[in-house]
Amino acid sequence: MIVFCKAKLSDIVSMQELVKPEVEKGIILFRNSDEIATNIRSYILAKEDSNIVGFGALHFHADDLAEVRSLVVKDTERSKGVGKGIVNTLLEEGRQLGVKRVFTLTYKKAFFEAVGFIEIPKESLPSHKIWADCIKCKHFPICDEIALIKNL
Ligand SMILES: CC(C)(COP(=O)(O)OP(=O)(O)OC[C@H]1O[C@@H](n2cnc3c(N)ncnc32)[C@H](O)[C@@H]1OP(=O)(O)O)[C@@H](O)C(=O)NCCC(=O)NCCS
């Protein structure tokens, strides 16, 4: 059975191992262990028998706006609803904290549409803070990620 829970500092090494193939492909941005530790409260894990099979983070940008980022499910566990479960857990946490809108920048448009996001022009994302990570990305400045948003 899959359970969704908050990450702990002791999970960081396993999280980095799980996301490594997606980082190498340039799908997910590399985050070093200090950066993950600083933001550890943002992360939700999907665990099966105490093994991490996926995770994602809800990063806050403003008093009403957050971002789903670093979402990954172990390749052998995909298409079983794990990604959806992680996103729904992140959205529920956002709702409880008073977030009104959640966006994501992704190559997985169909997945995010399946969990209720709609595509918006990237340029409509409100703050320059959102783009601060882009410079760290392998694909900068030629980016074909899509922006999607969901109102909570
Ligand atoms: C994207 C990802 C997290 C999805 O996780 P998952 O556990 O396979 O997704 P789920 O099984 O929860 O799928 C949820 C829904 O999205 C749909 N979906 C998932 N991946 C899809 C895809 N690539 N194309 C179309 N639909 C997709 C499923 O059909 C399902 O729809 P349903 O609820 O109507 O049945 C996973 O494929 C992954 O880790 N990919 C690599 C990393 C990545 O691209 N992360 C996103 C960067 S922000």
Side-chain angles (χ1 to χ4, degrees):
M1 195 184 76
I2 303 283
V3 293
F4 300 98
C5 58
K6 299 295 286 181
K8 296 195 173 100
L9 294 167
S10 55
D11 294 315
I12 291 174
V13 172
S14 307
M15 290 162 70
Q16 285 181 308
E17 196 58 36
L18 195 155
V19 78
K20 200 171 165 190
E22 303 303 329
V23 169
E24 284 167 358
K25 282 186 254 171
I27 303 285
I28 293 185
L29 211 56
F30 172 73
R31 301 200 186 272
N32 67 35
S33 51
D34 287 357
E35 197 178 354
I36 299 176
T38 302
N39 294 299
I40 195 71
R41 291 190 184 92
S42 305
Y43 288 88
I44 289 289
L45 306 181
K47 281 188 167 182
E48 185 166 39
D49 302 331
S50 78
N51 296 313
I52 301 171
V53 294
F55 66 86
L58 189 70
H59 182 77
F60 298 94
H61 285 281
D63 62 1
D64 63 346
L65 181 71
E67 174 186 5
V68 170
R69 68 187 199 186
S70 301
L71 177 68
V72 62
V73 172
K74 192 175 171 184
D75 54 359
T76 54
E77 303 302 319
R78 289 183 190 165
S79 303
K80 298 178 184 175
V82 177
K84 194 174 192 172
I86 295 168
V87 171
N88 284 334
T89 306
L90 293 171
L91 296 179
E92 186 47 39
E93 195 176 31
R95 258 182 221 108
Q96 284 173 17
L97 289 167
V99 170
K100 299 285 184 271
R101 296 172 301 149
V102 177
F103 75 92
T104 192
L105 288 161
T106 185
Y107 300 104
K108 297 286 158 62
K109 179 180 174 207
F111 167 78
F112 279 98
E113 286 177 339
V115 288
F117 286 67
I118 53 164
E119 187 174 353
I120 52 164
K122 265 190 285 194
E123 299 67 34
S124 69
L125 287 175
S127 166
H128 67 278
K129 277 193 294 181
I130 290 158
W131 305 106
D133 269 349
C134 294
I135 198 140
K136 303 180 204 160
C137 175
K138 277 186 186 178
H139 303 297
F140 181 80
I142 300 161
C143 168
D144 50 7
E145 279 192 322
I146 292 161
L148 298 102
I149 202 156
K150 182 178 167 86
N151 292 322
L152 298 187

